[in-house]
Amino acid sequence: MAEFAVADRAIPAYLQTPLQVGALTLHSRVLQSPLAGVSDRSFRQLVRRSAPQSLIFAEMAHAGLQLEGRDRWQFLPSEQPVGAQLFGYQPEVLAAAAQQAEAAGAVCIDLNMGCPVNKVTRKRGGSALLQEPELAIAIVQAVAAAVSIPVTVKTRLGWEQVTILDFARQLEDAGAQLLTLHARSRSQGYSGQADWRWIARVKSLLSIPVIANGDINSPADAIACLQQTSADGVMCGRGSLGNPGLVGAIDRYLQTGALTPELTLRDRLQLAREHLLLLWEDKGAAGLLQARKHLGWYLADQPDHQDLRQKLLRSEDLSQSLALLDAAIATENLLA
């Protein structure tokens, strides 16, 4: 099997030590980000398989809707450590929702101050808070006062211009116990290249842990970023789409120097099948609809199987999707 190409780089010794976040001790410095519409229990279960000690975040949740009882959290002991991420703009509402998340078993509360999508920012949430630093600070203070678990923040470099240096110091002073920094501005969205240099500058300013985020898609990316920034760890985001073993592969490399073989097509198909069944068991017909995008991600970089990918994206029936996957798996088994 092919292996990830990782340059000969010394792995800094601190990466093999636990990470302290307030009173919370993490035995992995590789985190899974809270991907909206993705990081449900089924996805977290697949990530956890290869990353038994990593902090995995549930989907970003609207604080007000959580208080109304929609999609209320329930974190199982087998999922731990798991964190909850909230977005919103009302300090008292976010504080109350954070208390709910703590009661549900979350080990930390992450406040989203980085999501760039319009449906979040136009409600003054996500990266919109970069334009209202006083409100952002009030939110951190309110949530930190409301819960006994660590409060963390995930944010970006700025709205259009870089403003993170002063903002990061204010977040720490307000009570944030860890900062995850996506090294793009809000105006960049997910385009262009993450500028890790700013993560290094923020790390040099703060006493709380700083986690690097943005373009962490392989062990090679992770070690390059950590060596450039001296960050306390990395968070995987979109690189996990169609590859829920990414967090575990990076953690294994940082802990042992061992590389994880890349997924073969047969691996991808089998994982897609399992993911589909997990979503079906958890959510029924709604899970089948949600599974479409995951099935597409598993095959996104397979140019010879785009016909299969399109059929899976259009499938409206569990048995049809399973038949398509089983036929493809059988073909791969014959080739193997």
Side-chain angles (χ1 to χ4, degrees), residues 259-302:
L259 291 166
T260 300
E262 288 188 21
L263 295 176
T264 65
L265 177 58
R266 181 170 54 175
D267 295 333
R268 290 173 181 270
L269 292 167
Q270 290 174 334
L271 197 54
R273 189 184 195 280
E274 184 176 3
H275 202 159
L276 169 63
L277 288 174
L278 286 172
L279 283 166
W280 175 262
E281 291 166 5
D282 192 36
K283 301 179 181 180
L288 177 61
L289 292 175
Q290 186 175 341
R292 290 177 176 177
K293 59 188 177 186
H294 289 284
L295 300 180
W297 287 324
Y298 285 114
L299 293 170
D301 61 350
Q302 300 292 312

Side-chain angles (χ1 to χ4, degrees), residues 192-262:
Q193 186 173 2
D195 191 346
W196 295 337
R197 294 173 299 175
W198 288 105
I199 298 175
R201 293 191 64 180
V202 170
K203 172 60 185 171
S204 70
L205 293 174
L206 303 186
S207 60
I208 59 174
V210 174
I211 301 297
N213 180 232
D215 295 345
I216 309 294
N217 299 317
S218 69
D221 294 335
I223 192 62
C225 178
L226 289 166
Q227 289 205 325
Q228 180 176 334
T229 64
S230 298
D232 297 281
V234 294
M235 178 178 283
C236 299
R238 291 173 299 141
S240 299
L241 302 178
N243 186 17
L246 177 61
V247 169
I250 294 174
D251 186 54
R252 181 186 181 207
Y253 180 73
L254 296 183
Q255 293 283 351
T256 69
L259 291 166
T260 300
E262 288 188 21

Side-chain angles (χ1 to χ4, degrees), residues 10-18 29 223 227 254-255:
I11 300 174
Y14 76 90
L15 295 172
Q16 285 93 44
T17 64
R29 290 174 178 263
I223 192 62
Q227 289 205 325
L254 296 183
Q255 293 283 351

Side-chain angles (χ1 to χ4, degrees), residues 155-157 164 179-183 198-199 202 210-214:
T155 190
R156 287 181 171 242
L157 300 181
I164 188 58
L179 178 70
T180 300
L181 182 56
H182 185 140
W198 288 105
I199 298 175
V202 170
V210 174
I211 301 297
N213 180 232

